[in-house]
Amino acid sequence: MDPFTHLLSGALVARATAPARPSASALPLRLRLFAGGAAAVFPDIDLALRLVDTLTYLNWHQGPTHAPLLLPAWAALLAWLCARASGGRHRWTAFYGPACLGIAIHIVGDLITAYGLMLYAPLSTERVALNLAFVIDPWISAILLAGLVLSLRHSCGGRTVVLALLLCAAYLGLLLGQQQRALAIGEAFASARGMQAPAVHALPQPLSPAHWMLVVEDAGQLHVAHVRVGADAAEVLSAAAAAEPAEAGPLAAVLGPLVRLRHAYRPAPQADWQTRGVAGTDRDQADFARAAWAQPVAADLRRFARFPVLDAVEPGPPACAWFVDLRFALPTLPPSFRYAVCRDEWGGEGRGGGDGREGDGDARWTLQRARGAFWID
């Protein structure tokens, strides 16, 4: 989830567990909220790995700082830092409970997204993702914000917080139901095409709980569609036509990309299924793309990408094969974390046109990165 939502969730659980009649040694409410909110943001301190390089960060983000087994140690460190910051007015043990809660709710918040966190670190680097919510979900943020604000303004704050948490749980239940409906669409697609053992995935998308990206893995290929679960085809088409801006202007410039993104998701009967993979669909480019993807320079990219696909091939020179991970590719918008594996020949013939295998001359492979639609890359 985004940092603001993490902050709200940490403060909210700290407020929910505040004692009704605090003892003399208990933290004041404002310090308790601060400790919970700070702890809920803390796991993303692994952002510092961006100073090394982006792929190092991508491969270790949501790693050890997000591991339940290490939670007690991280909470103790935060509690000690908070105690030092308080000038010794409060013992570290007073901060420990809110710190534990803040880190725990951060782990839950990231677990429901599609990125995947190292739930069993440091014992394993295996990643787990529930694929329920997009990384920015305004409904979750709004519920948390309303619950926190109302809990601080009214005497029945504890019950308000509990209600907000119950609403979040109900909303996650709604997302789970939508996910199952999306998976059923993908399974129906695989069955209609006689796929023997497909793996069907439904990834949450922005702007609506009805928006999902379906990925069906079969025989080394990815079959991809962007669907709007529960939408009526006529309703979507009429809404898309009505949403076209009458004329260009500042508002259209801001809302236009969002409108186009919203209407890229179609009802199941009108879903635009595309077949993609790391080799692409052009036979003339396939050998080069496969060779580029297999290069040692792309090892960290291969480790990071869960659903890698070829985005484009540039003949060069240098010749480049551009790859993206479908988890970070939204329809109508430039994808995030877009990387190219490029070959710069030093005397080989057919500059930029070979397949990258032995006999192409002295070829040097390099990795390049392009900016996407958001600040994260």
Side-chain angles (χ1 to χ4, degrees):
M1 305 301 289
D2 62 277
F4 180 64
T5 304
H6 281 312
L7 176 67
L8 291 174
S9 65
L12 196 70
V13 293
R15 176 67 182 90
T17 55
R21 296 180 180 179
S23 63
S25 60
L27 287 177
L29 183 58
R30 62 180 181 84
L31 283 182
R32 186 176 182 86
L33 295 179
F34 170 81
V41 175
F42 165 79
D44 284 341
I45 196 174
D46 57 15
L47 179 66
L49 292 171
R50 293 291 290 268
L51 298 176
V52 180
D53 65 67
T54 300
L55 277 174
T56 298
Y57 163 71
L58 292 175
N59 277 307
W60 287 100
H61 178 48
Q62 296 190 15
T65 57
H66 293 65
L69 289 176
L70 297 176
L71 185 154
W74 296 124
L77 173 62
L78 282 174
W80 179 78
L81 291 174
C82 288
R84 290 291 300 270
S86 74
R89 290 189 296 273
H90 301 281
R91 293 174 55 84
W92 73 272
T93 52
F95 292 97
Y96 187 69
C100 284
L101 291 169
I103 296 176
I105 200 66
H106 182 113
I107 292 173
V108 173
D110 281 346
L111 184 62
I112 65 176
T113 67
Y115 194 97
L117 54 82
M118 296 182 190
L119 199 62
Y120 311 114
L123 303 180
S124 170
T125 57
E126 178 186 355
R127 289 187 178 270
V128 179
L130 297 183
N131 300 333
L132 286 178
F134 191 66
V135 64
I136 299 176
D137 192 309
W139 294 104
I140 294 178
S141 302
I143 293 171
L144 295 175
L145 179 61
L148 184 61
V149 170
L150 292 175
S151 72
L152 297 176
R153 293 175 62 92
H154 298 281
S155 58
C156 58
R159 286 178 297 203
T160 303
V161 170
V162 171
L163 177 60
L165 293 175
L166 289 175
L167 285 175
C168 279
Y171 178 68
L172 291 180
L174 168 66
L175 292 178
L176 178 60
Q178 294 288 80
Q179 181 195 58
Q180 296 307 306
R181 295 174 70 183
L183 287 171
I185 295 172
E187 290 166 356
F189 168 83
S191 177
R193 281 151 185 78
M195 298 180 186
Q196 297 302 313
V200 182
H201 310 272
L203 305 182
Q205 300 285 279
L207 302 181
S208 170
H211 293 171
W212 295 84
M213 177 170 63
L214 296 177
V215 180
V216 179
E217 294 183 271
D218 179 66
Q221 296 291 325
L222 301 179
H223 305 275
V224 187
H226 298 87
V227 300
R228 185 176 179 186
V229 175
D232 175 77
E235 170 196 351
V236 172
L237 291 174
S238 62
E244 288 295 328
E247 59 184 43
L251 186 60
V254 174
L255 297 182
L258 294 179
V259 170
R260 289 190 292 272
L261 175 62
R262 180 176 184 272
H263 294 294
Y265 300 90
R266 295 290 184 175
Q270 295 189 350
D272 180 21
W273 287 92
Q274 298 180 351
T275 300
R276 306 188 67 180
V278 293
T281 57
D282 188 327
R283 292 184 178 181
D284 294 334
Q285 300 175 349
D287 286 341
F288 176 76
R290 289 193 193 95
W293 182 250
Q295 295 304 309
V297 73
D300 286 339
L301 179 60
R302 292 193 299 270
R303 191 174 302 114
F304 158 68
R306 175 63 184 87
F307 301 108
V309 296
L310 179 70
D311 191 48
V313 170
E314 297 175 353
C320 295
W322 287 92
F323 299 97
V324 297
D325 185 337
L326 290 177
R327 292 177 299 170
F328 305 97
L330 298 175
T332 75
L333 293 177
S336 296
F337 310 125
R338 184 173 183 257
Y339 280 86
V341 185
C342 301
R343 190 184 64 183
D344 182 15
E345 295 183 351
W346 298 97
E349 296 183 2
R351 259 180 99 80
D355 61 11
R357 294 174 293 189
E358 292 185 11
D360 277 338
D362 270 330
R364 184 184 68 177
W365 294 86
T366 58
L367 195 67
Q368 298 183 16
R369 177 167 59 97
R371 295 289 183 179
F374 304 103
W375 66 271
I376 56 175
D377 57 352

